Amino acid sequence: MTARKTRENLAGWLFVAPVVVILGLFMLAPILMAFWVSLTDWNGQGSPFRSGVPFAGVDNYARLFTEEGLARQDFMTSVRNNVYYVAIVVPVQTVLALGLALIVNSRLLRGRTFFRAAFFFPSVTSSVAISVVFLFVFANSGAVNGMLSLLGIDGPQWFADSRGLLHLLLGAVGLVDPEAPPEALTSGGPFGLSWWDWLSGPSVAMTTIIMLVVWTTSGTFMLMFLAALQDIPVSLEEAAMLDGAGRRQVFRYVTLPLLKPTLFLVLTLGLISTWQVFDQIYVMSQGNPAKTTLTPAFLSYQTAFRSFEYGSGTAISFVLFAIIVVLTLVQRWVMRERTGSLRHG
């Protein structure tokens, strides 16, 4: 039996060996090479592995968290922007995708194929093309401001307005004057930014990008929810309705619990994709105005390929990679807890 098991293990390794080699050459090796670059002060001239490249150690990482300077300020600004971006995009796109899936899955809806394709169409369209269209739609004389003017509203300069939504909200209700915030909020704060900066909320410019991303990504997640809805036996919902449950009760106590695995998947994919946002930032704003649309992914590109600080730029990308890994581990932990509770139940 031992010899047979050894042969089976050897055969298995032989079958997976091509994939292991390909992943090692085109994934693991580049990651290790990039990690080495993050420990150097390579400026892009020559090979980063030659002996003359200055070795920086963890200084590139320390500069992002502990050292006073522009590098930490820009990185923390990008993290702040991305946190607000994630906090809005992920819940909104998840709820919208679930709502669209429920509409398309309704047996009373006619032309379900048409609506399914219409809702999914933005997801398969080039993000660059849609971003350019949004630039025209939200221009100062664009369609959005034109519609607002019909209602007597003077629309903002969407892509030139760096004001934070929370600052505007606090000013609107009269709690804080955005032009003269309290000294307690501006005098100190963590990681080189004041509390007033951390509490800014997404800028008006970032809000337009958020609307774009929600519109283009909801269709993909709609299909995931739709597939899960179609796997739910109709007999379960009919049995619940025969027991006197209304449509809302059926959705809350029957449909939604059965959608939890798909819901966790959508939330995890949403978190990962929102932390990696780059295309829309590159096309629509380049991190402006006043760095309120700057994100870690775009900052990594900007630092490496425009400032030629490849070590610092790669360090930013590895910090972003760590954030994504942590989020993935949290998702796995949540799924494990849920699976364990189902087994014990």
Side-chain angles (χ1 to χ4, degrees), residues 139-196:
N140 296 340
S141 58
V144 173
N145 281 351
M147 294 179 62
L148 292 176
S149 63
L150 296 177
L151 302 176
I153 301 174
D154 188 12
Q157 297 180 358
W158 294 94
F159 292 104
D161 198 332
S162 61
R163 295 174 298 172
L165 293 187
L166 289 182
H167 288 176
L168 293 176
L169 179 61
L170 292 175
V173 298
L175 294 177
V176 176
D177 182 5
E179 300 298 329
E183 186 178 354
L185 295 178
T186 59
S187 58
F191 299 110
L193 296 182
S194 67
W195 288 110
W196 181 247

Side-chain angles (χ1 to χ4, degrees), residues 320-332:
L320 182 60
F321 173 74
I323 294 174
I324 294 174
V325 169
V326 169
L327 293 175
T328 304
L329 293 176
V330 169
Q331 185 266 346
R332 290 187 61 184

